Amino acid sequence: LDIDQELLMEMRRSYATPPPRMEDDHPYWHGNDRRYSKLTDEQMEKSRAESLQGAAERIMPFFNSVIVPSLREGNRCLVVSHANTIRTLIKQIDNISDQDIKQLSIPTGIPLIYRLDRNMKPVDPNCELEFRYMVQPKGYTWATSRQHGFHGVYLGDLERLQDIQKKRDATNRGWQRVILRNIAKQVNEEDLGEDDMDMCFHNPSFHGENIVETKHLWWKITQKMQNPDFANMLLLVRMKEFLESLLAYRRSRKTKTYRYIPLSTYEQMVDQIHLDSAGEVVDPFVSLESRLDRESRQRRWIESLNEAKEDSHSLIN
């Protein structure tokens, strides 16, 4: 498809960016498949290119009209689908932001449990299960669940969950390498453009096709990280810190070294940072049975009960 890899990552992980539109002559176009013959022209048109936002527009009406009434009747519902559908449901149930949903990956083939209250809001697995329903908490949840608002619980083998996550981490670092390469390519093109317009006053025409200016490179990475989507990317953080150390060395020694970096050297720097970062990703899954904040959670639960009693008394009075 000749799509830039960074754009491909955006299409796969973002909420509103759709893939390229599928035309009638596409080898995988499903418009002629009899299984989709009952779809309306509008539905067929929307299916040509669907983002996560488009998936939500298709999935949530079914969820609200079929699954929610069944849950209200006291039934347990099993949803079996691909990751995009599951991510859509999680985003809507947990009210996760468009930015945070990009960080959420769904392990394949691992049961994911949600318990909903009478208002169809998720029950907190870290607190209410244990202290309200007297159910021993089992399974695993994300270590960042509080940060992103995730209330699901995975049931399965922890080693398998960790293995899946390690593979995803490796893939994410691969995407980050692409981003760093694209930034260097952009810096090089802008540096050459400055030469063409005689804007490089300190040394006109010094820039070459195989070299980038260190300070300009650092600025572009810093600018990229202003976007919340890229702010916490490990390789970008490490490269920014490394370039800052080079710039600090130049200032302290008042030397002209490290003012420019050959692209071949920059590629080696990316490789080394990638290797140094392998295995340093924080283990994302935590067991509900072994969390260290049990006493704190119990205290918060008791306080919430007391607040509820006070509210009820104030209403009566």
Side-chain angles (χ1 to χ4, degrees), residues 5-131:
Q5 288 181 299
E6 187 174 342
L7 176 59
L8 180 61
M9 179 180 68
E10 175 72 12
M11 291 188 298
R12 291 185 62 185
R13 304 306 305 168
S14 71
Y15 182 64
T17 305
R21 175 186 167 88
M22 185 179 289
E23 302 296 344
D24 291 355
D25 58 352
H26 194 283
Y28 297 111
W29 168 239
H30 49 276
N32 299 322
D33 192 319
R34 60 182 178 83
R35 291 175 296 178
Y36 304 102
S37 60
K38 294 184 179 181
L39 293 182
T40 65
D41 292 342
E42 182 182 3
Q43 289 173 325
M44 191 64 71
E45 187 64 25
K46 288 183 177 180
S47 70
R48 292 181 182 274
E50 186 178 71
S51 63
L52 196 63
Q53 185 178 28
E57 295 173 356
R58 174 173 56 87
I59 294 166
M60 293 314 296
F62 176 83
F63 176 79
N64 292 322
S65 63
V66 178
I67 296 180
V68 168
S70 180
L71 291 172
R72 291 191 183 279
E73 292 175 359
N75 298 317
R76 297 178 179 178
C77 295
L78 176 65
V79 177
V80 181
S81 186
H82 56 76
N84 232 27
T85 298
I86 303 300
R87 287 177 70 220
T88 298
L89 291 175
I90 290 175
K91 184 183 189 306
Q92 302 300 322
I93 291 172
D94 277 326
N95 196 27
I96 297 177
S97 70
D98 295 356
Q99 300 297 333
D100 287 338
I101 195 62
K102 296 181 180 182
Q103 313 301 325
L104 184 64
S105 298
I106 307 299
T108 303
I110 304 292
L112 174 61
I113 292 180
Y114 268 85
R115 290 177 173 86
L116 306 179
D117 62 18
R118 66 181 64 184
N119 297 316
M120 294 295 110
K121 300 298 182 182
V123 172
D124 188 338
N126 302 322
C127 183
E128 294 191 47
L129 280 182
E130 188 172 1
F131 302 117

Side-chain angles (χ1 to χ4, degrees), residues 120-187:
M120 294 295 110
K121 300 298 182 182
V123 172
D124 188 338
N126 302 322
C127 183
E128 294 191 47
L129 280 182
E130 188 172 1
F131 302 117
R132 178 176 178 180
Y133 298 104
M134 303 303 291
V135 176
Q136 183 67 23
K138 295 181 180 180
Y140 302 91
T141 189
W142 289 94
T144 56
S145 58
R146 294 282 182 184
Q147 176 183 349
H148 297 306
F150 177 77
H151 289 91
V153 176
Y154 289 103
L155 297 181
D157 183 12
L158 179 60
E159 291 184 1
R160 185 181 175 197
L161 282 168
Q162 291 174 334
D163 181 61
I164 292 172
Q165 188 59 31
K166 286 179 181 177
K167 292 178 180 177
R168 292 187 185 278
D169 288 339
T171 301
N172 288 337
R173 287 195 297 273
W175 288 121
Q176 293 173 40
R177 287 169 61 98
V178 172
I179 293 172
L180 287 173
R181 290 196 192 101
N182 286 348
I183 291 175
K185 181 180 178 181
Q186 182 182 4
V187 169

